[in-house]
Amino acid sequence: MIRQAKHADKLQLAWLVQEMFSEVGSGYGHVDRSAWTVEQVFKAVDNDEAVYIAEDERAIVGFCAHAHIEGVNEGECWGLGAYVRPKYRGDNLANKLRTKAEEHCRKKGYKTIMGEYSVGNVAIEKSLAKHSGVEIVGYTVRKNITKDS
């Protein structure tokens, strides 16, 4: 089941962020962004931003989080992270989560989603290649999400 995250999901989201960074590494010149990412995801949950989770009958198994963060232009939101536990991959779950998050951003009036990904994250490179409207420069991603895009 995919749904918007709520306050009670924060602890499991923190674990998923840690798993995400453990799997792909920091990729940002040895700067550990996991604590910053957890903080931003928590703020996003509290501010009704686009944080969506996938869960089975026992636990959260994946998430996708996009939010407007301080220092980012108006009309833009930032991809805070997306991760699906290995056991649950292959069922298009990451794309379903991303679609829900993008729909939420569009409804909030955002025009663009920006983000970065870790060097060597082949899974995200393959996933992004399937989406139209995605511009990749180095390891920075930009996607226009206006209705006519």
Side-chain angles (χ1 to χ4, degrees):
M1 176 172 103
I2 294 177
R3 64 172 174 81
Q4 190 173 3
K6 53 190 176 200
H7 182 79
D9 300 320
K10 286 182 173 181
L11 181 59
Q12 287 189 66
L13 280 166
W15 282 109
L16 280 176
V17 169
Q18 293 297 328
E19 284 180 39
M20 175 180 71
F21 278 99
S22 293
E23 184 175 324
V24 299
S26 69
Y28 300 105
H30 304 294
V31 174
D32 183 358
R33 290 191 178 182
S34 58
W36 179 88
T37 302
V38 168
E39 179 184 344
Q40 295 303 314
V41 169
F42 283 8
K43 284 180 184 178
V45 169
D46 291 341
N47 293 327
D48 189 39
E49 293 283 359
V51 182
Y52 282 82
I53 61 168
E55 59 187 348
D56 66 9
E57 58 278 349
R58 295 182 315 237
I60 297 172
V61 301
F63 81 99
C64 182
H66 298 327
H68 183 78
I69 58 173
E70 217 172 293
V72 173
N73 295 330
E74 286 301 315
E76 290 183 352
C77 62
W78 198 258
L80 300 174
Y83 181 75
V84 174
R85 288 191 166 133
K87 177 181 173 183
Y88 296 89
R89 293 179 188 162
D91 290 333
N92 209 26
L93 209 46
N95 285 326
K96 290 175 184 174
L97 286 163
R98 188 176 300 116
T99 297
K100 283 290 211 184
E102 285 179 11
E103 288 170 0
H104 188 106
C105 290
R106 197 174 290 112
K107 286 178 185 172
K108 287 195 81 153
Y110 298 129
K111 308 265 187 269
T112 307
I113 298 172
M114 299 289 294
E116 294 178 336
Y117 63 95
S118 296
V119 175
N121 187 341
V122 178
I124 193 67
E125 289 174 353
K126 286 180 181 177
S127 178
L128 290 170
K130 297 176 186 176
H131 292 275
S132 62
V134 175
E135 175 187 348
I136 302 172
V137 178
Y139 295 97
T140 301
V141 179
R142 178 182 177 90
K143 181 173 184 181
N144 183 341
I145 59 166
T146 56
K147 289 184 181 185
D148 51 342
S149 64

